């Protein structure tokens, strides 16, 4: 359209993912406070002299000025980043810490999966994501506890919270010993399906503590209980997403403990391969580059 100028608007956002575009640009996937998840092109950020390339790295909380229609009704679906100010660049604190970096990667991937529709506002998920990254950066709690708390609360926002204080099938209250992912949480003896897991009571207590934010209980748990909790949480999340998260098998959860639920992600050797260097075509479509 002759004379058309793209609208400018501001928002703050968490950088979830970056993709290469052309020789010097990137496509940035953002979870914004007021406009939900969207993608924007950052021109020239891969050049050495870029003014704001370092501010658009994963896990950063930034304030942005974007060019494009906030509702996506006009022009390209890809917006353009015209200005960036860093609010808190959490990613720089994780670069030398493998457990925290992989946990942050799992948080970012989960946030993207829980927002399947672009530009659909999700304020509570945005606040939860910023809070989880802040907790990881401070190191006040174990990395796996922060990650599992985020996954449980994220599932609650999506309507997938596991039943922990009553049978997921019949609603009978009590401390039920069996846990069934397809059933939706703990199940009583009458409703227990074949193949249900039998986690330790402390594992269910930990899941409840992480859901409600009771860090006194969560911090006092043992490694074996945390690993069993992680396995149940990951299995429950991926059941509802109907696909595996690629970052979960890479999360460092400490030494293996016999008798616990298998590590989350369990998709075989293929799931353990690191993600390739993603390139984006002119239409913004991602493709993996063979190594």
């Amino acid at each position: 359209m002759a004379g058309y100028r793209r609208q400018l608007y501001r928002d703050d956002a968490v950088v979830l993912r970056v993709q290469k575009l052309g020789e010097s640009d990137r496509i940035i996937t953002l979870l914004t406070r007021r406009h939900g998840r969207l993608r924007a092109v950052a021109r020239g950020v891969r050049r050495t002299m870029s003014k704001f390339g370092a501010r658009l790295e994963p896990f950063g909380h930034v304030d942005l000025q974007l060019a494009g229609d906030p509702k996506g009704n006009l022009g390209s679906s890809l917006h353009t980043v015209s200005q960036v100010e860093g609010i808190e660049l959490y990613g720089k604190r994780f670069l030398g810490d493998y457990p925290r970096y992989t946990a942050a990667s799992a948080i970012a991937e989960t946030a993207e999966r829980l927002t399947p529709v672009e530009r659909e506002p999700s304020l509570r998920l945005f606040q939860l994501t910023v809070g989880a990254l802040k907790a990881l950066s401070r190191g006040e709690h174990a990395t796996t506890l922060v990650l599992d708390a985020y996954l449980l609360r994220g599932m609650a926002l999506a309507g997938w919270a596991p039943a922990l204080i009553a049978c997921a099938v019949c609603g009978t209250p009590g401390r039920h010993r069996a846990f069934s992912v397809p059933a939706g949480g703990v199940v009583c003896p009458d409703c227990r399906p074949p193949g249900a897991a039998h986690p330790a009571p402390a594992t269910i207590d930990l899941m409840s503590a992480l859901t409600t934010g009771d860090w006194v209980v969560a911090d006092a748990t043992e490694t074996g209980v945390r690993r069993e909790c992680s396995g149940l949480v990951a299995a429950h999340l991926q059941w509802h997403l109907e696909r595996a998260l690629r970052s979960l098998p890479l999360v460092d959860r400490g030494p293996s403990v016999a008798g616990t639920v298998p590590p989350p992600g369990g998709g075989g050797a293929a799931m353990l391969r690191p993600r390739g260097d993603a390139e984006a075509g002119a239409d913004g479509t991602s493709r993996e580059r063979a190594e």
Side-chain angles (χ1 to χ4, degrees):
M1 182 183 298
Y4 169 69
R5 295 184 62 184
R6 303 183 76 184
Q7 178 181 350
L8 296 177
Y9 67 98
R10 298 195 72 89
D11 205 345
D12 64 307
V14 175
V15 179
L16 301 181
R17 183 158 58 96
V18 299
Q19 299 166 259
K20 294 179 181 179
L21 178 65
E23 295 184 357
S24 60
D25 305 336
R26 277 180 178 164
I27 294 178
I28 315 296
T29 301
L30 304 160
L31 178 60
T32 67
R33 181 183 296 272
R34 291 181 291 275
H35 300 91
R37 179 179 61 83
L38 54 84
R39 296 183 303 154
V41 176
R43 303 290 182 188
V45 295
R46 291 163 55 200
R47 294 174 182 157
T48 306
M49 301 302 291
S50 173
K51 295 181 179 179
F52 51 76
R55 303 171 198 167
L56 289 174
E57 293 296 330
F59 323 133
H61 182 198
V62 295
D63 180 78
L64 299 143
Q65 180 173 274
L66 299 166
D69 180 14
K71 297 182 180 179
N73 297 325
L74 297 173
S76 171
S77 61
L78 290 175
H79 295 194
T80 302
V81 178
S82 60
Q83 186 178 357
V84 185
E85 296 293 337
I87 298 175
E88 193 64 57
L89 304 180
Y90 298 114
K92 64 182 180 181
R93 306 183 187 181
F94 306 148
L95 292 180
D97 191 323
Y98 179 83
R100 289 198 293 173
Y101 185 89
T102 52
S105 299
I107 288 171
E109 185 179 358
T110 301
E112 188 172 357
R113 299 296 180 213
L114 293 179
T115 51
V117 180
E118 288 194 359
R119 299 183 186 85
E120 184 174 83
S122 184
L123 176 59
R124 294 180 66 187
L125 181 62
F126 170 81
Q127 293 172 330
L128 181 65
T129 304
V130 173
L133 294 174
K134 182 184 296 184
L136 280 180
S137 69
R138 291 178 175 177
E140 297 175 352
H141 307 288
T143 299
T144 55
L145 294 181
V146 174
L147 172 59
D148 290 336
Y150 176 83
L151 299 181
L152 284 166
R153 296 179 196 182
M155 285 190 286
L157 293 178
W160 306 333
L164 300 173
I165 59 176
C167 177
V169 178
C170 67
T172 301
R175 289 176 61 87
H176 304 300
R177 292 296 306 274
F179 188 99
S180 172
V181 171
V186 297
V187 287
C188 66
D190 294 334
C191 300
R192 183 180 63 225
H198 290 78
T203 301
I204 303 300
D205 293 340
L206 175 57
M207 295 176 69
S208 297
L210 294 176
T211 302
T212 59
D214 189 347
W215 290 103
V216 174
V217 172
D219 290 336
T221 54
E222 299 178 352
T223 302
V225 171
R226 295 178 184 182
R227 286 182 60 84
E228 191 169 49
C229 172
S230 296
L232 293 176
V233 171
H236 192 84
L237 173 64
Q238 293 175 125
W239 171 270
H240 286 284
L241 289 177
E242 298 182 348
R243 62 180 299 179
L245 292 179
R246 303 186 67 169
S247 52
L248 271 183
L250 305 177
V251 176
D252 186 353
R253 299 186 181 275
S256 178
V257 179
T260 62
V261 172
M271 290 296 300
L272 296 175
R273 289 196 294 266
R275 193 167 189 170
D277 189 7
E279 293 257 6
D283 59 353
T285 304
S286 174
R287 60 180 182 269
E288 299 295 336
R289 186 170 64 189
E291 297 183 354

